[in-house]
Amino acid sequence: MKSYQELLAEAKARVREIGVQEALAMRGSKPDAVFLDVRDPNEFNLGKIPGALTISRGNLEKNVEAQVPREATVVVYCANGNRSAFAADTLHAMGYADVRSLREGFSGWVGAGGDVE
C-alpha cells in the first residue's frame, strides 16, 4: 500500500512542474495556453487566474474533454501544487501531451503578484 506522499511523489516525477515566474511569462509569450484551475468551487469562486477554466479535480476526467482540446498547452493549478500534479498526471494518461503543473499553485501566483479575477 502507498501513502498519499508516495503517490504524490510518483505523480510529480511523471509530470512537468513549472514555477510561477515561468507561468507568468507564458501568459505573455503563449496567450493561447489554457490555464486550468482544479480547485473546488468554494475556492475558485474567491478568485482565479484571469481567463482560467475551472474544473474541480473531482470532475476532471468527466468534463475536461468538452472544454480543453488535447493539443492545447495546459497549465494546471490548484491551491498549493499537489492536486494539480495529480490532475496533470491524469491529463497525460488521457492523451494530453503538453501539460504543466504550477508548482506553487494559486497561492504562489498571488504571492508573486499575478493578476487575479
Side-chain angles (χ1 to χ4, degrees), residues 52-77:
L53 294 177
T54 54
I55 305 173
S56 63
R57 175 64 192 96
N59 292 309
L60 181 67
E61 295 86 347
K62 179 176 70 172
N63 296 328
V64 71
E65 292 175 288
Q67 297 184 52
V68 181
R70 280 193 167 80
E71 63 277 0
T73 297
V74 183
V75 178
V76 186
Y77 71 93

mmCIF file of all heavy atoms in Angstrom, residues 52-77:
data_model
loop_
_atom_site.group_PDB
_atom_site.id
_atom_site.type_symbol
_atom_site.label_atom_id
_atom_site.label_comp_id
_atom_site.label_asym_id
_atom_site.label_seq_id
_atom_site.Cartn_x
_atom_site.Cartn_y
_atom_site.Cartn_z
ATOM 1 N N ALA A 52 -8.905 31.686 -16.673
ATOM 2 C CA ALA A 52 -8.711 30.260 -16.410
ATOM 3 C C ALA A 52 -10.029 29.502 -16.508
ATOM 4 O O ALA A 52 -11.086 30.019 -16.131
ATOM 5 C CB ALA A 52 -8.098 30.057 -15.023
ATOM 6 N N LEU A 53 -9.945 28.295 -17.023
ATOM 7 C CA LEU A 53 -11.083 27.388 -16.993
ATOM 8 C C LEU A 53 -11.136 26.772 -15.603
ATOM 9 O O LEU A 53 -10.095 26.554 -14.981
ATOM 10 C CB LEU A 53 -10.922 26.281 -18.029
ATOM 11 C CG LEU A 53 -10.948 26.688 -19.487
ATOM 12 C CD1 LEU A 53 -10.707 25.470 -20.383
ATOM 13 C CD2 LEU A 53 -12.278 27.329 -19.839
ATOM 14 N N THR A 54 -12.327 26.464 -15.134
ATOM 15 C CA THR A 54 -12.465 25.871 -13.810
ATOM 16 C C THR A 54 -13.171 24.530 -13.915
ATOM 17 O O THR A 54 -14.310 24.449 -14.359
ATOM 18 C CB THR A 54 -13.258 26.809 -12.877
ATOM 19 O OG1 THR A 54 -14.503 27.135 -13.496
ATOM 20 C CG2 THR A 54 -12.486 28.092 -12.603
ATOM 21 N N ILE A 55 -12.441 23.484 -13.543
ATOM 22 C CA ILE A 55 -12.996 22.133 -13.444
ATOM 23 C C ILE A 55 -12.419 21.543 -12.163
ATOM 24 O O ILE A 55 -11.211 21.304 -12.085
ATOM 25 C CB ILE A 55 -12.614 21.237 -14.640
ATOM 26 C CG1 ILE A 55 -12.999 21.860 -15.981
ATOM 27 C CG2 ILE A 55 -13.253 19.858 -14.481
ATOM 28 C CD1 ILE A 55 -12.488 21.090 -17.190
ATOM 29 N N SER A 56 -13.248 21.312 -11.173
ATOM 30 C CA SER A 56 -12.716 20.776 -9.922
ATOM 31 C C SER A 56 -12.078 19.414 -10.162
ATOM 32 O O SER A 56 -12.473 18.673 -11.066
ATOM 33 C CB SER A 56 -13.806 20.691 -8.851
ATOM 34 O OG SER A 56 -14.816 19.793 -9.246
ATOM 35 N N ARG A 57 -11.071 19.110 -9.374
ATOM 36 C CA ARG A 57 -10.314 17.873 -9.541
ATOM 37 C C ARG A 57 -11.237 16.650 -9.571
ATOM 38 O O ARG A 57 -11.027 15.712 -10.334
ATOM 39 C CB ARG A 57 -9.275 17.749 -8.413
ATOM 40 C CG ARG A 57 -8.492 16.451 -8.384
ATOM 41 C CD ARG A 57 -7.625 16.305 -9.631
ATOM 42 N NE ARG A 57 -7.120 14.960 -9.725
ATOM 43 C CZ ARG A 57 -7.678 13.989 -10.460
ATOM 44 N NH1 ARG A 57 -8.770 14.216 -11.159
ATOM 45 N NH2 ARG A 57 -7.145 12.789 -10.502
ATOM 46 N N GLY A 58 -12.279 16.648 -8.783
ATOM 47 C CA GLY A 58 -13.196 15.522 -8.725
ATOM 48 C C GLY A 58 -14.006 15.316 -9.994
ATOM 49 O O GLY A 58 -14.545 14.235 -10.209
ATOM 50 N N ASN A 59 -14.085 16.323 -10.844
ATOM 51 C CA ASN A 59 -14.857 16.230 -12.090
ATOM 52 C C ASN A 59 -13.978 16.291 -13.332
ATOM 53 O O ASN A 59 -14.496 16.375 -14.449
ATOM 54 C CB ASN A 59 -15.885 17.361 -12.150
ATOM 55 C CG ASN A 59 -16.956 17.192 -11.115
ATOM 56 O OD1 ASN A 59 -17.553 16.131 -10.998
ATOM 57 N ND2 ASN A 59 -17.207 18.232 -10.340
ATOM 58 N N LEU A 60 -12.679 16.266 -13.160
ATOM 59 C CA LEU A 60 -11.752 16.488 -14.271
ATOM 60 C C LEU A 60 -11.950 15.494 -15.413
ATOM 61 O O LEU A 60 -12.162 15.894 -16.557
ATOM 62 C CB LEU A 60 -10.303 16.438 -13.773
ATOM 63 C CG LEU A 60 -9.234 16.685 -14.829
ATOM 64 C CD1 LEU A 60 -9.309 18.124 -15.333
ATOM 65 C CD2 LEU A 60 -7.860 16.391 -14.261
ATOM 66 N N GLU A 61 -11.867 14.215 -15.120
ATOM 67 C CA GLU A 61 -11.932 13.204 -16.181
ATOM 68 C C GLU A 61 -13.242 13.289 -16.946
ATOM 69 O O GLU A 61 -13.258 13.095 -18.163
ATOM 70 C CB GLU A 61 -11.771 11.799 -15.586
ATOM 71 C CG GLU A 61 -10.413 11.534 -14.954
ATOM 72 C CD GLU A 61 -10.297 11.966 -13.499
ATOM 73 O OE1 GLU A 61 -11.180 12.708 -12.998
ATOM 74 O OE2 GLU A 61 -9.311 11.579 -12.855
ATOM 75 N N LYS A 62 -14.319 13.594 -16.263
ATOM 76 C CA LYS A 62 -15.645 13.646 -16.886
ATOM 77 C C LYS A 62 -15.827 14.880 -17.768
ATOM 78 O O LYS A 62 -16.494 14.815 -18.798
ATOM 79 C CB LYS A 62 -16.710 13.624 -15.785
ATOM 80 C CG LYS A 62 -18.132 13.701 -16.291
ATOM 81 C CD LYS A 62 -19.131 13.571 -15.155
ATOM 82 C CE LYS A 62 -19.097 14.815 -14.294
ATOM 83 N NZ LYS A 62 -20.142 14.872 -13.275
ATOM 84 N N ASN A 63 -15.222 16.013 -17.389
ATOM 85 C CA ASN A 63 -15.535 17.286 -18.052
ATOM 86 C C ASN A 63 -14.443 17.892 -18.927
ATOM 87 O O ASN A 63 -14.724 18.784 -19.713
ATOM 88 C CB ASN A 63 -15.937 18.318 -16.998
ATOM 89 C CG ASN A 63 -17.211 17.928 -16.288
ATOM 90 O OD1 ASN A 63 -18.088 17.299 -16.863
ATOM 91 N ND2 ASN A 63 -17.321 18.291 -15.025
ATOM 92 N N VAL A 64 -13.217 17.446 -18.804
ATOM 93 C CA VAL A 64 -12.123 18.160 -19.478
ATOM 94 C C VAL A 64 -12.183 18.056 -20.999
ATOM 95 O O VAL A 64 -11.901 19.029 -21.708
ATOM 96 C CB VAL A 64 -10.744 17.724 -18.938
ATOM 97 C CG1 VAL A 64 -10.385 16.310 -19.377
ATOM 98 C CG2 VAL A 64 -9.674 18.726 -19.344
ATOM 99 N N GLU A 65 -12.556 16.919 -21.526
ATOM 100 C CA GLU A 65 -12.543 16.742 -22.991
ATOM 101 C C GLU A 65 -13.467 17.716 -23.713
ATOM 102 O O GLU A 65 -13.165 18.134 -24.828
ATOM 103 C CB GLU A 65 -12.920 15.314 -23.362
ATOM 104 C CG GLU A 65 -11.871 14.296 -22.950
ATOM 105 C CD GLU A 65 -12.326 12.882 -23.221
ATOM 106 O OE1 GLU A 65 -13.214 12.407 -22.485
ATOM 107 O OE2 GLU A 65 -11.809 12.282 -24.180
ATOM 108 N N ALA A 66 -14.557 18.088 -23.082
ATOM 109 C CA ALA A 66 -15.502 19.019 -23.706
ATOM 110 C C ALA A 66 -14.995 20.457 -23.687
ATOM 111 O O ALA A 66 -15.471 21.292 -24.459
ATOM 112 C CB ALA A 66 -16.854 18.945 -22.994
ATOM 113 N N GLN A 67 -14.005 20.754 -22.840
ATOM 114 C CA GLN A 67 -13.553 22.133 -22.683
ATOM 115 C C GLN A 67 -12.126 22.399 -23.142
ATOM 116 O O GLN A 67 -11.788 23.539 -23.461
ATOM 117 C CB GLN A 67 -13.679 22.548 -21.213
ATOM 118 C CG GLN A 67 -15.115 22.548 -20.719
ATOM 119 C CD GLN A 67 -15.209 23.056 -19.305
ATOM 120 O OE1 GLN A 67 -14.713 24.126 -18.985
ATOM 121 N NE2 GLN A 67 -15.849 22.283 -18.446
ATOM 122 N N VAL A 68 -11.287 21.368 -23.154
ATOM 123 C CA VAL A 68 -9.865 21.572 -23.474
ATOM 124 C C VAL A 68 -9.445 20.598 -24.567
ATOM 125 O O VAL A 68 -9.496 19.383 -24.371
ATOM 126 C CB VAL A 68 -8.983 21.352 -22.215
ATOM 127 C CG1 VAL A 68 -7.515 21.599 -22.543
ATOM 128 C CG2 VAL A 68 -9.438 22.235 -21.063
ATOM 129 N N PRO A 69 -9.022 21.126 -25.726
ATOM 130 C CA PRO A 69 -8.545 20.231 -26.781
ATOM 131 C C PRO A 69 -7.242 19.530 -26.365
ATOM 132 O O PRO A 69 -6.416 20.115 -25.660
ATOM 133 C CB PRO A 69 -8.300 21.154 -27.975
ATOM 134 C CG PRO A 69 -8.518 22.542 -27.511
ATOM 135 C CD PRO A 69 -8.992 22.530 -26.103
ATOM 136 N N ARG A 70 -7.074 18.300 -26.803
ATOM 137 C CA ARG A 70 -5.887 17.521 -26.415
ATOM 138 C C ARG A 70 -4.585 18.151 -26.902
ATOM 139 O O ARG A 70 -3.534 17.925 -26.319
ATOM 140 C CB ARG A 70 -6.008 16.093 -26.934
ATOM 141 C CG ARG A 70 -6.900 15.245 -26.067
ATOM 142 C CD ARG A 70 -6.756 13.756 -26.404
ATOM 143 N NE ARG A 70 -7.377 12.941 -25.392
ATOM 144 C CZ ARG A 70 -8.684 12.710 -25.304
ATOM 145 N NH1 ARG A 70 -9.496 13.262 -26.173
ATOM 146 N NH2 ARG A 70 -9.162 11.929 -24.357
ATOM 147 N N GLU A 71 -4.641 18.927 -27.974
ATOM 148 C CA GLU A 71 -3.399 19.528 -28.497
ATOM 149 C C GLU A 71 -3.037 20.842 -27.800
ATOM 150 O O GLU A 71 -2.005 21.444 -28.101
ATOM 151 C CB GLU A 71 -3.496 19.731 -30.007
ATOM 152 C CG GLU A 71 -4.573 20.704 -30.455
ATOM 153 C CD GLU A 71 -5.977 20.099 -30.564
ATOM 154 O OE1 GLU A 71 -6.167 18.901 -30.295
ATOM 155 O OE2 GLU A 71 -6.897 20.856 -30.911
ATOM 156 N N ALA A 72 -3.840 21.288 -26.863
ATOM 157 C CA ALA A 72 -3.590 22.565 -26.181
ATOM 158 C C ALA A 72 -2.413 22.462 -25.215
ATOM 159 O O ALA A 72 -2.109 21.405 -24.673
ATOM 160 C CB ALA A 72 -4.837 22.992 -25.398
ATOM 161 N N THR A 73 -1.739 23.600 -25.032
ATOM 162 C CA THR A 73 -0.781 23.736 -23.941
ATOM 163 C C THR A 73 -1.598 24.046 -22.697
ATOM 164 O O THR A 73 -2.387 24.983 -22.690
ATOM 165 C CB THR A 73 0.207 24.887 -24.222
ATOM 166 O OG1 THR A 73 0.961 24.558 -25.391
ATOM 167 C CG2 THR A 73 1.133 25.116 -23.045
ATOM 168 N N VAL A 74 -1.429 23.240 -21.650
ATOM 169 C CA VAL A 74 -2.251 23.370 -20.453
ATOM 170 C C VAL A 74 -1.364 23.587 -19.237
ATOM 171 O O VAL A 74 -0.393 22.860 -19.024
ATOM 172 C CB VAL A 74 -3.117 22.106 -20.233
ATOM 173 C CG1 VAL A 74 -4.022 22.268 -19.018
ATOM 174 C CG2 VAL A 74 -3.933 21.773 -21.477
ATOM 175 N N VAL A 75 -1.711 24.598 -18.443
ATOM 176 C CA VAL A 75 -1.075 24.831 -17.148
ATOM 177 C C VAL A 75 -2.145 24.575 -16.098
ATOM 178 O O VAL A 75 -3.123 25.297 -16.014
ATOM 179 C CB VAL A 75 -0.528 26.271 -17.022
ATOM 180 C CG1 VAL A 75 0.073 26.478 -15.634
ATOM 181 C CG2 VAL A 75 0.490 26.555 -18.114
ATOM 182 N N VAL A 76 -1.965 23.513 -15.323
ATOM 183 C CA VAL A 76 -2.924 23.122 -14.304
ATOM 184 C C VAL A 76 -2.481 23.705 -12.969
ATOM 185 O O VAL A 76 -1.300 23.660 -12.627
ATOM 186 C CB VAL A 76 -3.009 21.587 -14.180
ATOM 187 C CG1 VAL A 76 -4.119 21.192 -13.220
ATOM 188 C CG2 VAL A 76 -3.208 20.937 -15.530
ATOM 189 N N TYR A 77 -3.442 24.263 -12.228
ATOM 190 C CA TYR A 77 -3.088 24.760 -10.898
ATOM 191 C C TYR A 77 -4.191 24.481 -9.897
ATOM 192 O O TYR A 77 -5.354 24.282 -10.256
ATOM 193 C CB TYR A 77 -2.732 26.252 -10.928
ATOM 194 C CG TYR A 77 -3.889 27.195 -11.153
ATOM 195 C CD1 TYR A 77 -4.573 27.745 -10.069
ATOM 196 C CD2 TYR A 77 -4.284 27.561 -12.432
ATOM 197 C CE1 TYR A 77 -5.627 28.630 -10.272
ATOM 198 C CE2 TYR A 77 -5.327 28.435 -12.638
ATOM 199 C CZ TYR A 77 -6.002 28.969 -11.557
ATOM 200 O OH TYR A 77 -7.051 29.835 -11.753
#
